[in-house]
Amino acid sequence: MLKRSAVASALLCSAALLAQQAVAQPQAPTARQAPSTEPRAVLDLSKGWRFHFGDAGDAPAAPDFEDSAWQPVAVPHTWNKVGTYAVQRAADSDMRQGKGWYRCSFAVPAALNGRRLFLEFDGVSKIADIWVNGRHVGSHAGAFGRFRIDVTGAVRPGDNSLAVRADNSASAPGSSTEHVIPLGGDFFVQGGIYRGVRLLAVDAAHIDLADHGGPGVYLRTSRVSAERAEVAAKTLLRNLGTRRRTLTLVTTVQDAGGTPVATDRAPVALAPGQASTVERALTVATPHLWQGRADPYLYRVVSELRDGSRVIDRQVQPLGIRSFAFDAERGFLLNGKVTPLHGVSRHQDVQGKGWALTPEDHASDMAFAVEIGANTIRHAHYQHAQEWSDEADRAGMVVWAELPFVHEANVEPSEAPAAATIANAEEQLRELIRQNYNHPSIMLWSVGNEADIGAAIDAMRKGDGKPAQSRAMLEKLDRLARAEDTSRPTVYADCCEDTPSILSMQGAPSLNGITQVMGLNRYYGWYYGDLGGVGPALDALHAKHPTLPIGLSEWGAGGAMTQHSDNPRGGPVAAYGRPQPEEYQSLAIEENWKQIRTRPYLAASWLWNLFDFATTMRNEGDATDVNTKGLVSYDRKTRKDAFYFLKASWSDAPTLHLNGRRYVDRAYTVTDVRGYSNADRVSLSLNGKPVGEVTCPDRICVWPGVALTPGANHLVATATIGGKQISDALDWNAPDPRKGVFIDSGALVGSTMGGDSYGSDAFFRGGTGKVISAGRNPMAVPPKVEGTDMPALFGSYREGRFGYDIPLPDGSWTITIASLEPDATKGAARSFTVLANGQRVIESFAPMQAAGGANKAVTRSFAVKSSGGRLVLDFEPVGGDAVVAGIAIRPN
């Protein structure tokens, strides 16, 4: 590699010298020069970088390394691009894991001569190594925590070179990230300097910058009443100079307008090289409480280290005065008042940007949570950006903050975690707590999520039944969290105890009861069980663990925005694949919420997830490398129907929404029209003509059996809330039923087959929708149906004793019934009779005998006449249950 001078070889990455910010965290840079008298200066290093992906040893760290061919980038930056709404991975996807290099040059202004210099990184994934002027000055293992490096001795007058190697290698035995959590999980660990980076200049004596990335000032409200609040302030100081310093620490509590309401002065003597902790108490009279979403009032605490009258360092932190408790019977209490928590989880990626988010992105994401009416946020599954936590403070969200101990404790799931893995998890937990200690919104420290699920999956795949080894590590992390912060309880998110999930059958011991609050990830009606299962399951676990407060840490369902169902109860959803219609997501969330909201002992619930997010573990719904359980699309452009159900249920904002606006080309002319509203009554019109007015129990509005006009249809819903009229409208195209009606029995989503447009299963009564199964493993490939050029039609079926009441114009029709034998063990005994309008048209039909074996397609046709605008079909078992894969109705 050719070399050249340091100035030419790297772009200038220092954009502007900033004054100490009078806020808790650095804000967006402004182009102004700070006066030399500022106590703490910030040199923004966001621009002027060059990037290259690939392992090149340590050569790029050299000051004169030739990098002109590298890509110019700005920080925040990630090299990954993951997730697309298509059934094939996008050509421009970038799932590379490994080492990426960043280089730039910076000059330290003369005004900062004599100060201590620290590089501050808000997040580098997953391992960071830092060089200044070719000298390795430090490293950091962990993708999510802020870290600082003292580079005073490495910086020289004039231009300086800065090189950063970011490593997001996949965790595997012998890899560089083998012991850096997370070791697995249902999200993609993106690489890069994906959060801010800056150079800090401070006096040799300063509020400590070396405390695990924390602010050096730690605030706790020890007692709160209407008359007074006692605030404990612990400040860490350090003297890196060569002389003894006699200083004063001045701590001031300011109200939201900046007026001081409490002040404390403490003399401090610091010997050379000495670190000191100063603990003081301040009293705020008649405190204005932080009341969550109702009134998220924020004080701020200004901590100044003074040398005589001169301020030599300053740190500003938020303060929210509040008391809270999680109770096993009463749920969550904020400032003594029972406050049921309902909210969402959030991952930190946006389509097209990945993890490289701006403050504006964080603010925009929080606006969605506010709009929906959430009052709590779960930070999944790692420490989120400080800007996001600042938004939560201001919005009044109660926050679950989480350590990235997720999925497994070892890259070999059946083995006990290594000491290095435990040590890394402990350090990341310290960073999480200390860096976020002062955020009043944070009220739970999560020490893990589904830590045994990797071992359970491994046991299922291998069939060896080896137990997971996460408990001892989880216990250590819980003890550490309690020692770090006595004011907030610990929590763990359990996946499987006492569930019908196949993963619960792998013999893993329960991890509930280790932490002070029990989190439960429960997906009834999605991965297991039925839609009525979550309430009884919560009741059973509440009885089993009567002294533990409970939070439902995950619940929900996937929703593909281009896959649609005419009746989401028509068949099983493909929770591990395709399809995942948007209408089923709405139904699942409706039914789960009805049970969640009626259990007063449940302290909180967090729907999974506010946004679709990237994960290379999934190819499902209408997407690749995307988890589709979000209420909002990955690019934040589309609110799914379920978003409006929760908005109508949680928010006081007038809400009216008609469902199915993305299901434009309808399969059937007659359909239920559904919507969501918090109005007392809602009226619907179709093509300018009134359909009717309905109430909306549980915020769900339904107009059953609406007859559309073949062709274009315009629907408008209107309501009045608080004296103000609101409305919503959508447009649908309906088919002409005189040309035929086609039903894919047991299917949640319709499709075009054999030149005909089949709708999903609808108009049925009784029976059970099913799909061809490969056995107990839900991710296995099902057997192929033979004897047909429409295998998709036979991939699902309705079984049992059932019938269909099909809206149909009067006339003469040919009906074709598609069937098969899906179970060879039952096929010899199965037969059924078909009735049309009460008349027997097929006697004792045995699909296995007719087709010549199991999983082979067979059809039977007959002629009928319809009258009264409907056709009634009945399928009556003779031996075993009836089974129908599809119904085709064609005009004679």
Side-chain angles (χ1 to χ4, degrees):
M1 190 62 84
L2 296 175
K3 299 183 179 181
R4 58 178 179 170
S5 71
V7 175
S9 68
L11 297 175
L12 189 67
C13 62
S14 53
L17 180 63
L18 310 180
Q20 159 69 20
Q21 304 293 327
V23 291
Q25 303 297 338
Q27 301 294 293
T30 57
R32 65 184 180 87
Q33 185 75 21
S36 60
T37 55
E38 283 294 331
R40 181 179 291 194
V42 181
L43 190 71
D44 175 62
L45 302 180
S46 61
K47 301 183 185 303
W49 293 83
R50 290 192 183 273
F51 167 75
H52 171 75
F53 182 84
D55 190 0
D58 292 349
D64 56 355
F65 181 83
E66 171 60 66
D67 61 11
S68 60
W70 287 15
Q71 176 188 359
V73 299
V75 170
H77 174 265
T78 178
W79 61 77
N80 294 119
K81 185 178 182 181
V82 183
T84 184
Y85 289 109
V87 296
Q88 299 293 329
R89 182 170 285 164
D92 62 348
S93 296
D94 189 343
M95 274 76 60
R96 290 178 297 175
Q97 292 181 273
K99 297 177 174 67
W101 279 90
Y102 295 84
R103 286 175 47 82
C104 73
S105 174
F106 68 94
V108 179
L112 302 184
N113 288 345
R115 298 203 189 187
R116 301 294 300 195
L117 303 178
F118 289 80
L119 282 171
E120 180 176 77
F121 293 85
D122 291 340
V124 181
S125 179
K126 185 176 186 184
I127 298 175
D129 281 283
I130 318 296
W131 288 262
V132 173
N133 297 324
R135 173 178 166 184
H136 187 262
V137 293
S139 60
H140 181 262
F144 310 105
R146 169 178 285 171
F147 64 96
R148 304 185 185 102
I149 300 171
D150 188 341
V151 295
T152 308
V155 172
R156 62 194 180 198
D159 293 309
N160 294 265
S161 71
L162 173 60
V164 180
R165 182 173 63 200
D167 181 0
N168 74 330
S169 297
S171 298
S175 73
S176 56
T177 61
E178 177 181 5
H179 301 299
V180 182
I181 65 169
L183 305 182
D186 188 11
F187 59 96
F188 187 80
V189 176
Q190 303 189 18
I193 307 176
Y194 73 94
R195 292 181 186 159
V197 56
R198 60 198 64 85
L199 185 73
L200 305 180
V202 296
D203 190 281
H206 56 269
I207 298 169
D208 198 0
L209 290 170
D211 187 41
H212 305 276
V217 176
Y218 301 96
L219 308 169
R220 181 170 59 88
T221 307
S222 55
R223 293 184 183 179
V224 182
S225 68
E227 294 75 28
R228 57 189 285 156
E230 296 181 7
V231 178
K234 181 171 73 172
T235 306
L236 309 185
L237 304 175
R238 188 176 295 272
N239 180 11
L240 296 177
T242 58
R243 61 187 178 88
R244 181 180 178 85
R245 305 288 292 275
T246 300
L247 307 169
T248 303
L249 176 64
V250 180
T251 305
T252 304
V253 180
Q254 299 177 350
D255 65 16
T259 300
V261 295
T263 301
D264 176 81
R265 296 173 180 269
V268 180
L270 294 174
Q274 180 184 352
S276 178
T277 300
V278 179
E279 298 192 50
R280 307 291 289 182
L282 298 93
T283 299
V284 177
T286 58
H288 190 151
L289 300 185
W290 190 91
Q291 287 281 11
R293 290 287 301 122
D295 184 10
Y297 187 87
L298 288 173
Y299 294 87
R300 65 178 190 171
V301 175
V302 180
S303 302
E304 292 184 336
L305 190 59
R306 298 182 182 181
D307 188 349
S309 61
R310 184 170 64 95
V311 177
I312 63 172
D313 197 14
R314 179 187 295 119
Q315 179 64 282
V316 183
Q317 290 293 297
L319 173 66
I321 297 176
R322 79 283 189 268
S323 65
F324 67 93
F326 290 85
D327 185 89
E329 292 297 333
R330 302 175 67 194
F332 176 73
L333 291 85
L334 180 61
N335 298 321
K337 180 182 178 182
V338 172
T339 306
L341 297 177
H342 48 262
V344 289
S345 297
R346 180 249 196 182
H347 269 294
Q348 67 177 9
D349 55 340
V350 175
Q351 189 174 27
K353 294 185 175 184
W355 283 5
L357 304 186
T358 65
E360 292 76 19
D361 292 321
H362 293 295
S364 175
D365 276 6
M366 186 60 69
F368 281 100
V370 170
E371 179 188 352
I372 205 173
N375 61 5
T376 183
I377 297 282
R378 180 186 177 197
H379 294 183
H381 285 302
Y382 38 75
Q383 179 177 338
H384 284 226
Q386 289 297 315
E387 294 91 341
W388 174 251
S389 296
D390 292 340
E391 292 290 343
D393 292 344
R394 291 189 287 264
M397 296 290 174
V398 173
V399 170
W400 160 316
E402 188 154 295
L403 176 74
F405 179 31
V406 55
H407 202 261
E408 55 201 349
N410 196 291
V411 291
E412 295 288 350
S414 61
E415 296 181 3
T421 303
I422 296 174
N424 177 261
E426 289 177 331
E427 174 55 22
Q428 291 200 49
L429 181 57
R430 288 188 191 93
E431 292 176 350
L432 170 71
I433 294 175
R434 298 194 190 186
Q435 292 172 27
N436 293 279
Y437 193 95
N438 296 328
H439 288 294
S441 57
I442 294 177
M443 299 188 195
L444 285 166
W445 298 124
S446 172
V447 294
N449 173 83
E450 297 185 355
D452 279 350
I453 203 168
I457 293 172
D458 189 63
M460 179 181 70
R461 288 173 175 168
K462 295 179 179 179
D464 58 10
K466 290 183 179 179
Q469 301 288 338
S470 301
R471 185 177 186 89
M473 181 169 168
L474 194 67
E475 290 173 339
K476 287 185 177 181
L477 293 170
D478 179 72
R479 287 194 295 269
L480 176 59
R482 297 194 199 197
E484 283 285 321
D485 183 4
T486 60
S487 68
R488 296 175 173 96
T490 59
V491 66
Y492 169 75
D494 164 77
C495 73
C496 303
E497 182 180 353
D498 297 344
T499 70
S501 166
I502 190 171
L503 297 177
S504 68
M505 304 173 188
Q506 305 304 317
S510 170
L511 298 179
N512 288 319
I514 295 174
T515 57
Q516 295 161 290
V517 176
M518 180 168 63
L520 302 173
N521 298 349
R522 294 298 184 267
Y523 289 94
Y524 282 87
W526 184 249
Y527 293 124
Y528 46 75
D530 58 43
L531 290 172
V534 70
L538 291 172
D539 292 342
L541 283 167
H542 177 48
K544 185 177 179 180
H545 303 279
T547 63
L548 280 179
I550 297 177
L552 185 60
S553 40
E554 291 183 24
W555 63 286
M561 294 174 290
T562 63
Q563 295 172 345
H564 298 286
S565 181
D566 302 283
N567 186 338
R569 297 184 185 272
V573 70
Y576 296 95
R578 314 183 198 279
Q580 295 176 354
E582 184 177 6
E583 290 75 12
Y584 188 87
Q585 181 189 47
S586 297
L587 174 66
I589 290 174
E590 290 171 14
E591 295 301 310
N592 275 265
W593 176 244
K594 291 176 187 177
Q595 300 163 74
I596 293 166
R597 72 181 187 191
T598 59
R599 285 165 165 79
Y601 63 80
L602 192 64
S605 62
W606 293 271
L607 184 131
W608 189 264
N609 196 285
L610 181 54
F611 307 106
D612 289 350
F613 60 91
T615 167
T616 53
M617 292 180 63
R618 293 179 181 267
N619 297 290
E620 60 186 38
D622 57 359
T624 300
D625 301 323
V626 174
N627 188 311
T628 66
K629 295 186 187 68
L631 297 170
V632 180
S633 61
Y634 187 19
D635 61 7
R636 286 22 178 199
K637 293 181 179 179
T638 304
R639 294 163 175 82
K640 302 179 189 179
D641 286 339
F643 179 96
Y644 293 96
F645 168 69
L646 294 175
K647 181 177 180 180
S649 300
W650 294 352
S651 172
D652 294 331
T655 302
L656 174 57
H657 173 80
L658 286 175
N659 292 3
R661 66 196 57 242
R662 283 168 287 281
Y663 185 12
V664 176
D665 296 316
R666 312 294 294 190
Y668 306 118
T669 305
V670 176
T671 185
D672 293 350
V673 178
R674 297 174 63 86
Y676 302 127
S677 183
N678 49 16
D680 294 332
R681 304 185 69 83
V682 181
S683 296
L684 179 71
S685 67
L686 171 62
N687 297 327
K689 298 180 180 180
V691 173
E693 185 179 67
V694 299
T695 59
C696 301
D698 301 314
R699 308 305 193 195
I700 304 165
C701 319
V702 182
W703 293 266
V706 176
L708 305 176
T709 300
N713 292 264
H714 183 64
L715 296 97
V716 179
T718 58
T720 300
I721 302 178
K724 179 181 179 182
Q725 188 176 74
I726 59 174
S727 65
D728 190 36
L730 54 74
D731 293 285
W732 287 344
N733 298 321
D736 187 347
R738 294 170 297 182
K739 296 180 180 180
V741 177
F742 305 90
I743 301 172
D744 189 354
S745 299
L748 277 185
V749 172
S751 59
T752 299
M753 295 176 282
D756 298 313
S757 295
Y758 280 78
S760 61
D761 206 353
F763 312 119
F764 56 84
R765 44 182 167 74
T768 303
K770 296 183 177 181
V771 296
I772 299 293
S773 172
R776 293 183 68 223
N777 187 346
M779 291 174 279
V781 178
K784 182 180 179 181
V785 178
E786 300 177 353
T788 179
D789 59 356
M790 296 192 302
L793 180 65
F794 295 87
S796 63
Y797 55 92
R798 181 157 294 277
E799 186 176 43
R801 179 185 296 271
F802 55 91
Y804 283 83
D805 294 340
I806 304 170
L808 194 67
D810 295 352
S812 298
W813 307 89
T814 294
I815 315 298
T816 299
I817 304 298
S819 187
L820 79 163
E821 177 47 64
D823 187 346
T825 63
K826 299 179 180 179
R830 189 193 306 271
S831 64
F832 57 92
T833 293
V834 182
L835 293 84
N837 294 328
Q839 302 297 313
R840 293 175 180 268
V841 290
I842 300 177
E843 290 279 1
S844 300
F845 176 57
M848 185 166 175
Q849 296 175 10
N855 292 317
K856 293 184 177 181
V858 61
T859 61
R860 288 291 185 270
S861 299
F862 54 88
V864 298
K865 290 186 176 181
S866 62
S867 61
R870 62 197 291 258
L871 171 66
V872 178
L873 299 177
D874 289 285
F875 300 88
E876 297 184 350
V878 177
D881 290 326
V883 57
V884 172
I887 301 171
I889 305 172
R890 295 182 173 87
N892 286 337

